[in-house]
Each structure stands twice: as C-alpha cells, then as structure tokens.
Amino acid sequence: SGHFDDRNDNLIEAILAGDTSAASLEMETFHLLDLARCSQKVNGRPGIVAAAAAIGLAQRKSNTFIESDRVERLERLGGVSLLEALAARHLHGADNYKPSDSTAHSAEGVRGVKGAEGVEGAEGAEDADDAVGAGESTELDAGESSSEDGGNGKGPIAWLKAYAAKSKAMAAKVQALGLAGVTAYGIFNTLYYTLAFTVAWYFQKVPEGVGLMGTARVAAKVMGVVWAGSQVTKLLRFGLAIAAAPKVDIFMKWTAEKTGKSYQATFGIVTGGCLLTSLALFGAMIASKAAGG
C-alpha cells in the first residue's frame, strides 16, 4: 500500500535476534495491553485491567501448522480456562453490583452451555475422563451440594466429585496435547502398573497346588487392588504426562524420521510395545509362582 510502510519481511528474524526467548507474536494483544497501560486511573486504580492468552496453531518461522483435529480441543480448553480466570477475578466495586433478573438468567445460560460443552467433550473419551468442561461443571455441582454433604461442600461425596472433576480436566489437557500426550500418559501408566503389580505380587501368597488357573485368579485380585491404587495416583500420572509430552513428541518425531515410519505408526509401535512388554512380564511372574518359583 502507498499509505503505509509495511516492510516487515525480516520481522521475525529481527525479533529473534534481539530476544531469543520470544515465543509468540500477537499484534492485537500488544494494542490491548498498551491501551490498558495508558488508560487513566479511576480512584487510584487502573481504568482498564487487561490480560491476554493464546493457543499456538502455527510455527511462523517454519510455516508449519498443528493437526486440524487438535485445533478444536485447544480452542475448547483455552476458552474454558479463560472463562474460569474471568470468573475468579474480583473486580473493584463488584460488591455493590446488583444483577438484574435478566443478568442472572444469562449467567445460568452460560453455565448450561459450559456443562453441555463438557458432555460433548466427554464423548469418545478413553480410560476415562476426557471431558473438558464437564469436569469443571461437576466441580460447581460439588461446591453447591447441600443434601449429601451437609450443605458445606466439604463431605466425602463432595471430595470425590471434586477429584473426579480434576481428573477430567487433566485428561482433557493430556488429550489436547495429541498423540504425544496420550503416549506420555501410556508410558507412565505402564511404569505404574508394572512397578505396583511387581511389588504386590512379590508379597502375595499363593496356596500350593492351585495350578496355573488358580494362580491367575489370585493375580486378578491383586490387579484389582493395583487398579484401585491407579485411581488414587491418576492426577500424578496426568501431571507427569503433561510435563513429559513435549519431550515425547520430539522423540516420536526423531524415531519416525530415522525409521521412515509415520508419526501415527510410531505412536502405535510405542504404545503397543508398552502393552506387550507389561503383559509378557505379568505372564512370566504368574507362571513363575504357579510353578512354585
């Protein structure tokens, strides 16, 4: 255009040359925060309180984009997180605000939409608990319950609801990380079940003369206890998977490049390998005890 000097072909390179930690470039965000910075104060407080968040869809330097199936999950997860942050923000003067009936009805409508989004996000989830908004909706229900936990939201039922809600929210975050997140969670699941079953099986007494089938039945009971323990430690594994997902993604891409396999095929090989390794180990331990080892 003849009206603007828009020579920005080397803009990204110039930014990285000056600040190698730069991670995003948001023009609208800059203007929003600048407006807040220069806004006039009211009674000693900022006239505008501004914040911003973004989801990464493209790598501008390499001009690569994330998979399309991840976009909706990230938008949903980011949107719910932003609404929660806004709801938790206490605004100056809010204590004196008296909502009208229409405003109250609108708030109920927003809550209903949020719950509906959670149910939609839960469809098709594996190993439980992949809802994005459902978890947070359940958490609201837990805080508002009255008949089941004495009305204070602190009873065991409220705690279980809150734990389930947190698990669903964490599962949604793992799912939003794509195959790398699922793979990371599978790896930590494998480590947990292998270690927990090995320790429990070591101390488990098996009656003599019950044979392989009898030993297998005892092993099934032990695995039930191990599974119950997995529900208690689920949040820890979700957290570890979220932290490890970027490294797992790098490893999977490197493996795919070296082997000539697709990223999806690498995912299948890694997860299948974890499953087969665990089954082989469990089978060997059961057979050993059945033989009197």
Side-chain angles (χ1 to χ4, degrees):
S1 171
H3 299 288
F4 298 97
D5 184 358
D6 196 26
R7 293 172 294 178
N8 60 0
D9 292 341
N10 300 319
L11 177 61
I12 295 178
E13 289 76 8
I15 292 175
L16 293 175
D19 183 3
T20 57
S21 66
S24 66
L25 182 61
E26 297 288 333
M27 293 179 292
E28 296 84 355
T29 300
F30 167 79
H31 287 294
L32 175 65
L33 298 179
D34 189 51
L35 284 173
R37 179 192 61 80
C38 63
S39 64
Q40 294 184 0
K41 293 186 176 182
V42 179
N43 297 326
R45 297 176 179 273
I48 298 177
V49 177
I55 57 175
L57 302 178
Q59 219 287 4
R60 294 301 180 186
K61 191 172 182 181
S62 61
N63 202 32
T64 56
F65 292 77
I66 67 172
E67 300 87 347
S68 58
D69 63 328
R70 293 181 59 192
V71 175
E72 183 179 356
R73 292 198 298 270
L74 288 173
E75 289 176 341
R76 190 181 298 274
L77 182 62
V80 170
S81 299
L82 289 173
L83 290 174
E84 289 173 345
L86 288 172
R89 173 73 183 182
H90 178 75
L91 299 178
H92 179 63
D95 294 337
N96 299 323
Y97 175 68
K98 302 296 183 182
S100 63
D101 291 340
S102 60
T103 304
H105 292 159
S106 297
E108 290 299 323
V110 169
R111 181 180 299 176
V113 170
K114 185 178 179 184
E117 287 181 348
V119 173
E120 180 182 347
E123 294 178 358
E126 282 185 12
D127 188 36
D129 319 320
D130 264 344
V132 172
E136 306 305 326
S137 177
T138 305
E139 191 171 8
L140 284 175
D141 295 339
E144 295 172 353
S145 61
S146 58
S147 60
E148 294 179 337
D149 53 34
N152 56 15
K154 297 181 181 179
I157 295 179
W159 183 89
L160 289 173
K161 286 184 177 180
Y163 186 87
K166 185 67 174 178
S167 295
K168 291 179 180 180
M170 294 285 281
K173 292 180 180 179
V174 170
Q175 187 188 32
L177 293 170
L179 294 181
V182 176
T183 302
Y185 184 67
I187 291 173
F188 285 111
N189 255 0
T190 301
L191 291 175
Y192 166 79
Y193 276 98
T194 301
L195 179 61
F197 183 82
T198 300
V199 173
W201 190 243
Y202 177 81
F203 292 102
Q204 177 64 46
K205 300 295 184 181
V206 177
E208 294 183 3
V210 296
L212 181 60
M213 293 303 297
T215 306
R217 283 192 289 269
V218 176
K221 294 179 181 179
V222 172
M223 185 58 74
V225 175
V226 172
W227 175 86
S230 75
Q231 303 308 297
V232 177
T233 60
K234 181 180 291 187
L235 291 183
L236 174 61
R237 297 198 308 282
F238 278 141
L240 291 172
I242 292 171
K247 297 295 184 183
V248 172
D249 181 57
I250 293 173
F251 169 75
M252 290 174 65
K253 288 179 178 177
W254 177 85
T255 302
E257 181 181 353
K258 294 297 182 181
T259 61
K261 303 287 186 181
S262 68
Y263 191 84
Q264 290 76 11
T266 303
F267 162 77
I269 292 171
V270 174
T271 54
C274 288
L275 178 62
L276 292 176
T277 299
S278 294
L279 291 177
L281 181 61
F282 295 157
M285 288 190 290
I286 294 171
S288 176
K289 276 208 172 180

